[in-house]
Amino acid sequence: MNEPLEAVTGHPAGEPVPVLTTRVFLALAPPDDAKEELEQVLRPAYAAYPRMRWNRIEDWHITLAFLGELPVTAVPPLMPPLAGLAARQRPLRLELYGGGHFDERVLWTGVTGDLDELHRLAVDVRTLVRECGVSFPERPLRPHLTLARSRRGDHADTVEAAASLAAFAGRDWEAGRLHLVGSNIGRGPGPIHYRDIEAWDFPRGAAGAPEVSGG
């Protein structure tokens, strides 16, 4: 469900406040059945490595562009151009597979499928955001879902959990929606939660967007 910006930032609407900011990124998200398939595979790891900081399944996403901390007033002007981009984008066929880690600290599962199209979409999204006057750090696209982070001194758990995912090969699924996401990171104690600020469907069967078969 999409959330108003005050829900993302955690500040009540209608009150005079200093300039508010929220961390923002653009992403694709697997459907529930693909996430549940991976969650089942991860159950032994959940039990074996309880000290790892496991991401909530509803927060799993494939980041296309991380915009960083933005004033909330910078977000609404991005929405019409992003809606237009989504209206021209065909759905992608992707799969989750395998596992790995970044610096023995971050556990991830990989993404395969329409990777050329995925990279083109990321370029289009980043170009559009910059054309809207929003600057952000350039990071190479490494398609993945972040699953967990290790606690200090427990890096071996991350390496072992990654090895346990080596044979995982998920079902293919359709990525058919672009998500503009905000997070409450740095706004108080507790875990990081991500919420859709807005999301736009990719058309199916429209001109310039060939219909993709399958569920």
Side-chain angles (χ1 to χ4, degrees):
M1 182 177 69
N2 298 340
E3 299 279 358
L5 286 176
E6 60 269 16
V8 175
T9 61
H11 195 94
E15 293 185 8
V17 293
V19 175
L20 291 176
T21 63
T22 186
R23 289 201 174 185
V24 178
F25 60 89
L26 288 141
L28 304 177
D32 288 345
D33 53 357
K35 292 189 291 187
E36 289 163 2
E37 179 183 34
L38 175 56
E39 184 183 39
Q40 289 295 324
V41 172
L42 285 171
R43 288 194 182 281
Y46 291 158
Y49 312 111
R51 283 184 49 78
M52 293 184 69
R53 294 177 295 171
W54 293 95
N55 286 6
R56 303 186 309 162
I57 182 174
E58 55 265 45
D59 290 336
W60 289 350
H61 60 268
I62 303 167
T63 301
L64 299 174
F66 180 74
L67 308 187
E69 196 85 14
L70 297 182
V72 295
T73 54
V75 177
L78 295 174
M79 295 183 185
L82 288 168
L85 185 153
R88 300 187 297 273
Q89 174 64 44
R90 74 172 182 88
L92 310 182
R93 299 302 299 187
L94 301 172
E95 303 107 46
L96 304 177
Y97 82 102
H101 58 83
F102 298 133
D103 299 326
E104 300 184 354
R105 295 183 301 106
V106 178
L107 175 68
W108 52 262
T109 191
V111 178
T112 189
D114 290 341
L115 293 185
D116 287 345
E117 187 68 16
L118 180 63
H119 279 268
R120 282 193 291 270
L121 175 58
V123 169
D124 289 346
V125 164
R126 296 176 187 204
T127 299
L128 182 150
V129 171
R130 288 196 170 94
E131 288 175 348
C132 290
V134 175
S135 60
F136 56 94
E138 184 64 40
R139 299 180 179 180
L141 180 66
R142 303 174 69 176
H144 68 279
L145 300 186
T146 297
L147 304 176
R149 291 172 172 81
S150 65
R151 297 185 185 276
R152 184 172 298 178
D154 286 344
H155 297 342
D157 289 356
T158 306
V159 175
E160 292 172 9
S164 74
L165 287 172
F168 172 64
R171 59 175 291 275
D172 74 317
W173 46 273
E174 183 178 273
R177 175 175 285 190
L178 177 64
H179 298 261
L180 175 65
V181 186
S183 77
N184 64 346
I185 188 168
R187 306 193 183 280
I192 300 168
H193 289 170
Y194 303 106
R195 296 175 179 171
D196 272 5
I197 298 170
E198 188 57 87
W200 302 274
D201 291 335
F202 301 153
R204 301 183 62 184
E211 185 168 355
V212 178
S213 61

